[in-house]
Amino acid sequence: MALRLYNTMSSQVEEFHPLREDEVRMYACGPTVYDYGHIGNFRTFIAVDLLQRFLRQSGYKVRYVMNITDLDDKIIRNAARDRVSVQQYTAKYQKAFVEDSAMIGIEQPHFVRATENIPQMAEFVARLVDKDVAYRTDDGSYYFRIASFPRYGNLSKKDFSEMRAGTRVDVDEYDKDGARDFALWKAPKPGEDSWDTSIGPGRPGWHLECSVMSMQELGESFDLHAGGEDLIFPHHENEIAQSESLTGKTFARTWFHVRFLLVEGEKMSKSLGNFYTLRDLVLKGHKPSSLRYLLTSVPYRTQLNFTFDGLRQAAVSVERLRNFRQRLATGNFPSGSNPEIQALASETVTRMREALDDDLNTAQAQGAIFEMVRKVNSALDAGQIKQDDARPLLTALEKFDEIFAVLKDDDAFEMKKVLDWARSEGREKDISPELRDAVHSAQLSDTDIENKIAEMEAARRGRNFKVSDALRAELTAAGILIENTKDGVRWRRK
Ligand code: AMP
Ligand code: ZN
């Protein structure tokens, strides 16, 4: 079965086949780096990361490009306010975005930046003017003539037949009644950064940036273009109009949009006090893997409501999976194999694939792995797992984690970086006791812990209880929970 994806352009779930047989070329609109990334942004970026991971697991080569919007109205305004250049203003947030993405298990796309492609953007505008689909105004700005593009509105399913020809809008973000000629290039304003180019001084509009950079990296037609659902109009509608007017070809074939994340039932906003960056959650002591799990627990087109309860439940789910993996990896099982368990492992792999092939039904894929965990845990308790069963079960977990990326136990190490950052920013008061605890256990690597447990066990067998007790106390103080089971000592981080 091939992957089926919903395409906003056709409003249908379609079989996804890339233009080139074995390579997928995809582009995601990246962050506007004027602040730290919030959990809504990460819902979208994790959904796209999950898609590209699944495409690779399905055997495709993936060329995944993401722009960093380091130039738009908000950035220009804030940089001018702080009297620094655009580059100086965005540097800190760009760095934070790369770090946050890694922390939450996002594999790094190929990044492109608006400020590094300005001459090409000016060139693009000149070509649109040559085609008579763009025009210059007296102040030196350039606009796209939407009346020249009859398909305008096809993506967002808006009817612009009544639009007021010749009226203009020059802000990057505008709402649905903005069916007016939009700014491709904005003339300089006093106090704001601008660039000297072949079409005069100024700066590109946001929509233009993505058209130019995506086609430069991926060609005039490519397979998939992604973003949050708010980008359908006007951003993506404008990208299509500009790009297709120039090339006469289909710009992106599949349009992939992620439903907006709600927080405690409401639209996330600073004024409602329900706005959280990834770092805010880590400062409260939550693990990045919990958030990643939560954000993938609902398929990307279904409404997801973030709650702290949900986040705590996600942490429990991740913990169960990690414990399960450890139980399998370290258990001593009798030789042989159990055919039912072997079949269960391979069925689980198939069920996960089928779920993800079905427009990335992540909830069902997670359901399949948990069903396996439940059944195998009972079998383990009943002593029905044999030596040769562990490998296929672990392989199923590995396949799951190639996509979901929550099993690697590096939360505490990542959380320590946030703690250090908070200190360096003078935000000591925002560091919760939970974060301090979690970081404490990160002082020891997995190997350190295993070595200490081996020493502890050796001391105990030698009846040297003073040493074994001291080692146990040391591990407990570092936030390591130790449990004696019939299969030996098991441990986990608090
Ligand atoms: P921005 O940094 O505002 O340009 O947004 C970066 C990405 O995050 C875009 O693809 C947005 O559509 C997406 N995004 C913003 N807010 C949310 C949200 N609440 N839920 C899901 N995606 C969002
Ligand atoms: Zn974009």
Side-chain angles (χ1 to χ4, degrees), residues 13-231:
V13 175
E14 299 170 347
E15 267 197 21
F16 177 81
H17 295 290
L19 283 160
R20 295 177 186 160
E21 203 180 322
D22 60 348
E23 187 189 30
V24 175
R25 287 169 292 161
M26 56 190 269
Y27 181 91
C29 294
T32 310
V33 280
Y34 72 107
D35 203 346
Y36 294 100
H38 60 65
I39 57 177
N41 300 142
F42 284 107
R43 178 181 199 198
T44 292
F45 297 136
I46 289 173
V48 186
D49 175 63
L50 194 138
L51 168 65
Q52 70 86 21
R53 282 169 178 265
F54 184 57
L55 287 166
R56 282 193 296 106
Q57 191 179 71
S58 306
Y60 291 113
K61 247 176 28 202
V62 178
R63 180 152 171 78
Y64 173 22
V65 176
M66 180 188 279
N67 75 306
I68 291 188
T69 304
D70 59 354
L71 186 55
D72 88 329
D73 289 347
K74 288 184 288 253
I75 290 171
I76 288 273
R77 202 187 313 125
N78 292 1
R81 179 200 64 202
D82 296 354
R83 295 175 192 278
V84 292
S85 73
V86 159
Q87 273 96 340
Q88 281 164 332
Y89 181 76
T90 60
K92 155 170 158 181
Y93 300 114
Q94 288 201 39
K95 180 166 171 285
F97 177 71
V98 173
E99 291 168 357
D100 287 0
S101 298
M103 168 156 67
I104 198 136
I106 293 175
E107 288 178 327
Q108 200 170 76
H110 175 70
F111 286 126
V112 288
R113 289 173 183 80
T115 53
E116 291 169 0
N117 292 280
I118 300 217
Q120 295 89 320
M121 292 172 194
E123 185 56 30
F124 193 102
V125 173
R127 288 167 65 202
L128 289 173
V129 173
D130 279 349
K131 293 220 162 206
D132 204 25
V133 297
Y135 58 90
R136 187 178 187 276
T137 51
D138 290 342
D139 69 342
S141 295
Y142 290 80
Y143 289 84
F144 183 86
R145 197 190 309 280
I146 64 171
S148 72
F149 191 69
R151 294 195 298 283
Y152 196 75
N154 275 11
L155 182 71
S156 52
K157 313 293 178 285
K158 291 182 193 300
D159 180 3
F160 293 123
S161 52
E162 304 276 298
M163 69 201 168
R164 291 164 289 159
T167 59
R168 292 189 286 270
V169 55
D170 65 1
V171 288
D172 282 339
E173 291 179 84
Y174 50 87
D175 58 22
K176 63 178 180 333
D177 49 69
R180 287 169 277 170
D181 292 355
F182 59 87
L184 295 161
W185 184 264
K186 305 180 191 199
K189 292 209 184 91
E192 292 183 354
D193 271 8
S194 75
W195 283 258
D196 281 317
T197 69
S198 57
I199 58 165
R203 63 174 172 100
W206 171 41
H207 316 300
L208 179 73
E209 297 175 359
C210 282
S211 280
V212 172
M213 292 189 289
S214 60
M215 291 202 284
Q216 190 167 291
E217 295 295 325
L218 299 172
E220 291 178 344
S221 284
F222 54 92
D223 300 304
L224 185 137
H225 196 123
E229 63 177 344
D230 61 319
L231 300 188

